[in-house]
Every structure is written in structure tokens, then in C-alpha cells.
Amino acid sequence: MDTTSFWSDTTPLQRFKKLDQDYHVDVVIIGAGITGVTAAYLLKKAGCKVALIERGRCGGFDTTNTTAHLTCVTDTRLSALAAKFGNPTAKATWEGGRAAIDQIVKNIHAEKISCDFTWVPGYYHAPLNGDAAKERRSLEAEAKLANDLGFAAEFLDSVPLVNQPGVKFLHQAKFNPLAYVAALLRTIPGNGSHVFEKTEAGKISDRPLSVTVGKHQIHCSYLFLATHTPLMGNTDPVSALLFQSKLFLYTSYAISTRIRPGSAPEASFWDTAEPYHYLRIDRHRDFDEAIFGGEDNKTGQIKNPAQPYRNLEKTLKKILPTFQADHQWSGQVVETPDGLPYMGETAPRQFVATGFGGNGMTFGTLGAMMAVDAFLKRKNPWAELFDVHRKPFHGGTGKYLRENKDYPYYLLRNWLGGARDQSVKSLKRNSGKVLHLQGRKVAAYRDPQGKLSLCSPVCTHLQCIVKWNDTEKTWDCPCHGSRFAATGEVLAGPAEKPLEKIDTKELAK
Ligand code: FES
């Protein structure tokens, strides 16, 4: 089984050098997923100088792990958005997705990008194992509301392939996200703009505005924190923590395989289950590909990280009985209390865009467009709607409180627990475990060659104990969803510092 995404297997990405001197630019963008790359591309087109910095590989984390549906259909139903915020806001939210798809199309045409972009219908349907009769009425109402608000939608008694009632939305799309991002990345370096990989942002200073990277500084007049969970940057610590407490990190799982050409319609599908499943069928020259995802759960809290993949395969076999996954991977989605993303300034001259839910490609693109407008002091129609300081949570207070119960629970639970001393000798190759060694907890990992790495298991965000994820080979924090590589480096925030290293000679006896 290939445990990388379908895209990373089929799409080569250009490499960029590490930052090795001081620079002066207009805008520093931290994070080179679709959000950061799109912002860098648009800013350069507008005549600005940018430095795009990425701690790993550009497009190498969340963007490669998406299933890249391009849709204005949000995780929160249109009717739920309308009930919560009113019809104009519900409409504006979906229009944001539509504007993002238009921007992607514009970029593809401008740069002549080959990224398998395809317009497809999107089907929103009753779950495969749910009560279809119960869903029929609400789906009919959903189609009517969408039409009333100006979105082309049609209720269907039976959606193709899944044979469930649902809504057909026209003008949805899909593409290869890595091919798209790789093409935009190629346009950025030059004329005072730069892209750097393996370049981790350190201290961010306010006066003058600058980002420290090792011994070097990048001076700028604006900063865009385009990471999934924004870095603290120049936000004061209390406000930064408060903001982070409004972001809930979930892991979403995907599987894919080739299927018999023509055995399913080329389209996107999402069901109404909670959490929902999502499917896309792609036509290729010699084969069709089915990519199926869902089974979301809070990062770091699942007992058996292999189970979601098994569940996905079992569900998909109901409509594609011969499906046998050859790729499986996971990615993170960031949810918010009220279901709307946060896009705006968290400090003067510091823009963030996060909380995209399952709409990472579209809201990521929209966030980039908004960041560019903010820097260029242009009015943006979504600035108020997605404001990072909006209050209260538009009816999301219950969700906020529920989600934040995790922190005290896991903090206490993981710090307590048995304390009998163990030995690293029992640790198998290519596996990790939190062990008690000489009276302290240790995150121990043995690589496939047998080399041992020991770290403190204390998450550098707010001190919870991380948990080994044997499927992804990562340390995941159950409190706010930070993820660390097997050897302790940060893969995803809110943690900004790696797990503290422990000398193996000292403890590995
Ligand atoms: Fe917050 Fe680990 S304590 S992510």
C-alpha cells in the first residue's frame, strides 16, 4: 500500500534552496501551500516583491494531502448557513467559493497550466447507509434554496452511481492540486521575489517588520501567515492563544485506486453523513481513478489510526464492489465554531487565513486574494464576513465549549498514568511509543534502519503529551492537533517548536 497521496506519486515538484542571506521584500509569506503560493503569485503579478518561505517542501503537506474538490458547496449546509446568518451571508459565503474557482481558472489560463482541471457536476446526496426517505425533503429544500440564491441546482430522486436522493450542483470542478501549485511556483522567483524551502520562520519582529530565519533576516512591510494554524507572529500571546482556541484540527482520511474506465460518471460526490464522505471520479487516458475520503476525527484522539481506512473501503464497496485501495493518506482540516473561515489581520500588517474546513482549495485561494487586497489596500467583499475578530461566534458558542473540553481532559489524562520503568529494547523498527525511561516519559522512535531517536513527549504548544500514530509515523497531540515528525520536528501547528531532543546515550540502556 502506498501511503502518500495520489498526487505526490504522480506529480514532480521543483526544489527550492534554503534561505542563506538577508533580504528586503514587500511581503513575506510563511507557508507554501495553495494559500501562500497563490498569494505570492498574485502579489508578484501586481508588481510586488515577495519572499515565500516553507519549513518543509512547497506544496508538500496539506496541499498534497487534499482530494482537491473545487466547489462552492460548504461543509455547513446552505440552509444551515442561512438559518444561522441569514440568506445574504449564506449566499456571500458560497459566492466566495465561486470567486475562488474563477480565480483558479484565470490563473490556469494566464499561465497555460496543465493540471487536469475539469468542470464537473457535484452531487450532494443521502448517505449510502442512511435513511434516504428522511433526507429527501431536506435535500429538496436545499436545492430550492440554492436556486433562490442564484446557484444552479436540481433535486434528483436518484443520484447517478450512488442511487440515493440528492442535489446536483452545476459548475463545480476538480484538478490536480500539485500540478497547479507547481506551475504557479515556477513563476515566483526573479525580479526581487524568492521562494525558499527547508526554511523555518523564527522570531517575528514588529519594528521594523522582519522575520528571522537562522542567522538571517527578511525585512518586509507586510506579513502573511499562510500556515494551516497561523503562527503567533506579532499577535500578543493572550490574543494568539484565544485565536488558536477557536481552531479545531481534524484528520481526514482518503483512499484511491484505478477503476474500470466508464464504470462511474466523472463527477464529485459528497454525502450528508456526519462526518461526511467525499468521492471524485477522474478520467485519465487509460484508466479512471476513484478517490474517496472522510471518517474525520480529532487529530491525535483516535485509538487505531488504521481503522478509518478500513471503514472507507467498506463504505465505498457498496457502490464500487471491486474497489481495492492502492493509496491511502490523511490530511488535516481546520474547523471553526461558526463554520466560517477566519481571514484578516490578527495584528497590524499581519494577515492570516485559516479555518477552511473541507474547502481548503477554494477558501485557501480566497484567503490569498483577500491577503493581496489587504496589502494593496483594496476593498474586499468578504473582509467583514470572515473577519478574524468577529464576535460572538454566531451561535457557535456550544461547539467552541465542546471542542475546548479536550485540552484539560487530555492534559490530565496523559500526565497521569502508570509509571513503571520500561526499556527501549522492545521497540520494533519503524515504530514509536511513549515509554517510561528512568522515571520520565519519553517519545521513543526506532527508524527502519534501527536508529533510535528520543524526544520529550511534551507538546511544545501547551504541554499535553503527544501520541504515536503508527499509520502516519508521526507524533500527534490530542489537545489542539499539533503534529510532529517521528524524530520530533514540527509538521503542523499550533506548536511552533520541535519536541525537545533527549540524548539517547543518557536513557537508552
Ligand atoms: Fe496544544 Fe499540543 S498542547 S497542540
Side-chain angles (χ1 to χ4, degrees):
M1 175 73 70
D2 193 324
T3 54
T4 56
S5 76
F6 172 70
W7 326 111
S8 59
D9 211 24
T10 53
T11 316
L13 275 173
Q14 189 184 342
R15 287 187 184 271
F16 296 91
K17 67 171 193 176
K18 208 170 164 176
L19 180 136
D20 58 0
Q21 64 175 82
D22 290 0
Y23 287 94
H24 284 80
V25 293
D26 297 313
V27 183
V28 171
I29 301 166
I30 301 175
I34 191 168
T35 311
V37 172
T38 306
Y41 168 76
L42 294 175
L43 283 164
K44 178 148 187 212
K45 290 274 270 190
C48 308
K49 292 182 174 59
V50 298
L52 173 64
I53 65 171
E54 165 61 46
R55 79 177 139 215
R57 296 284 320 278
C58 294
F61 203 60
D62 292 312
T63 299
T64 192
N65 290 329
T66 172
T67 55
H69 292 245
L70 297 173
T71 177
C72 62
V73 178
T74 45
D75 290 6
T76 309
R77 277 187 187 207
L78 189 62
S79 53
L81 287 176
K84 213 189 274 187
F85 306 104
N87 282 3
T89 295
K91 181 177 175 171
T93 304
W94 277 35
E95 277 174 344
R98 201 151 65 176
I101 299 173
D102 288 347
Q103 182 68 58
I104 289 169
V105 170
K106 208 168 142 192
N107 298 347
I108 289 171
H109 285 155
E111 306 305 329
K112 300 186 178 41
I113 300 173
S114 298
C115 59
D116 300 328
F117 179 91
T118 326
W119 289 106
V120 286
Y123 295 102
Y124 182 55
H125 60 86
L128 297 172
N129 38 11
D131 181 352
K134 218 170 84 190
E135 293 279 0
R136 185 179 305 268
R137 265 238 196 109
S138 71
L139 287 165
E140 257 178 303
E142 202 71 14
K144 183 176 178 319
L145 178 63
N147 276 316
D148 290 349
L149 298 185
F151 301 93
E154 181 189 356
F155 173 75
L156 300 179
D157 266 325
S158 177
V159 165
L161 183 67
V162 300
N163 300 321
Q164 295 286 329
V167 185
K168 178 182 185 180
F169 293 102
L170 297 178
H171 311 307
Q172 310 303 303
K174 57 190 177 57
F175 68 167
N176 174 335
L178 280 194
Y180 173 74
V181 161
L184 292 190
L185 275 167
R186 281 194 286 275
T187 70
I188 298 165
N191 295 330
S193 289
H194 314 272
V195 180
F196 299 108
E197 290 184 333
K198 307 272 180 204
T199 296
E200 180 143 20
K203 187 171 168 10
I204 293 172
S205 307
D206 191 17
R207 284 174 205 195
L209 191 58
S210 62
V211 178
T212 302
V213 177
K215 287 187 264 169
H216 304 290
Q217 305 266 313
I218 322 176
H219 299 275
C220 59
S221 45
Y222 204 76
L223 187 61
F224 181 19
L225 305 177
T227 49
H228 226 165
T229 305
L231 304 177
M232 194 178 287
N234 282 322
T235 322
D236 71 81
V238 175
S239 307
L241 282 179
L242 196 64
F243 184 63
Q244 286 170 356
S245 74
K246 293 189 277 185
L247 303 175
F248 318 130
L249 275 79
Y250 282 75
T251 299
S252 193
Y253 302 82
I255 55 176
S256 75
T257 199
R258 292 181 175 196
I259 56 170
R260 189 167 49 79
S263 57
E266 185 167 38
S268 293
F269 301 84
W270 317 280
D271 73 8
T272 55
E274 186 60 54
Y276 68 98
H277 297 99
Y278 42 96
L279 169 69
R280 60 179 272 182
I281 305 288
D282 291 349
R283 295 256 183 280
H284 294 271
R285 190 174 300 166
D286 308 317
F287 63 95
D288 286 0
E289 186 83 16
I291 304 172
F292 186 54
E295 296 289 326
D296 305 9
N297 52 59
K298 287 287 284 276
T299 298
Q301 294 186 9
I302 194 168
K303 277 208 180 96
N304 176 4
Q307 192 60 42
Y309 297 113
R310 283 188 220 130
N311 295 348
L312 283 175
E313 193 156 306
K314 197 168 153 206
T315 304
L316 192 57
K317 278 187 171 185
K318 290 191 171 129
I319 47 172
L320 295 171
T322 57
F323 185 95
Q324 195 101 48
D326 57 21
H327 283 68
Q328 66 175 43
W329 69 93
S330 71
Q332 268 185 315
V333 292
V334 185
E335 295 191 1
T336 63
D338 59 14
L340 299 183
Y342 290 113
M343 303 181 189
E345 289 186 349
T346 47
R349 300 184 292 157
Q350 175 179 291
F351 198 94
V352 308
T354 184
F356 307 148
N359 295 86
M361 297 291 100
T362 44
F363 281 149
T365 301
L366 188 68
M369 293 155 66
M370 292 175 65
V372 173
D373 284 349
F375 174 65
L376 297 175
K377 303 211 179 315
R378 296 192 299 219
K379 264 195 164 324
N380 183 284
W382 293 278
E384 202 180 323
L385 178 57
F386 299 145
D387 183 13
V388 293
H389 301 295
R390 63 179 181 264
K391 292 185 231 166
F393 304 121
H394 290 298
T397 315
K399 183 170 167 75
Y400 176 81
L401 295 173
R402 264 193 320 279
E403 296 278 353
N404 278 289
K405 272 202 320 221
D406 291 346
Y407 174 54
Y409 172 74
Y410 281 98
L411 185 66
L412 274 178
R413 195 185 87 152
N414 292 340
W415 274 100
L416 299 174
R420 198 176 324 141
D421 251 16
Q422 296 162 301
S423 156
V424 290
K425 287 194 184 122
S426 59
L427 196 61
K428 294 200 183 91
R429 288 178 183 222
N430 203 20
S431 71
K433 197 172 183 185
V434 174
L435 297 172
H436 287 273
L437 300 177
Q438 298 180 25
R440 64 184 286 193
K441 287 193 178 202
V442 174
Y445 166 68
R446 197 182 291 287
D447 76 10
Q449 286 70 42
K451 190 173 170 217
L452 188 68
S453 144
L454 301 180
C455 292
S456 161
V458 180
C459 176
T460 53
H461 178 229
L462 288 177
Q463 318 283 298
C464 285
I465 299 291
V466 295
K467 195 173 160 194
W468 176 247
N469 177 337
D470 198 48
T471 307
E472 316 292 337
K473 309 296 176 198
T474 54
W475 297 104
D476 297 347
C477 181
C479 286
H480 310 99
S482 289
R483 298 184 69 196
F484 302 86
T487 45
E489 298 78 17
V490 179
L491 293 174
E496 296 186 13
K497 294 200 175 99
L499 298 177
E500 189 199 331
K501 294 265 184 215
I502 296 173
D503 186 356
T504 44
K505 280 187 225 121
E506 196 188 308
L507 285 180
K509 290 179 187 154

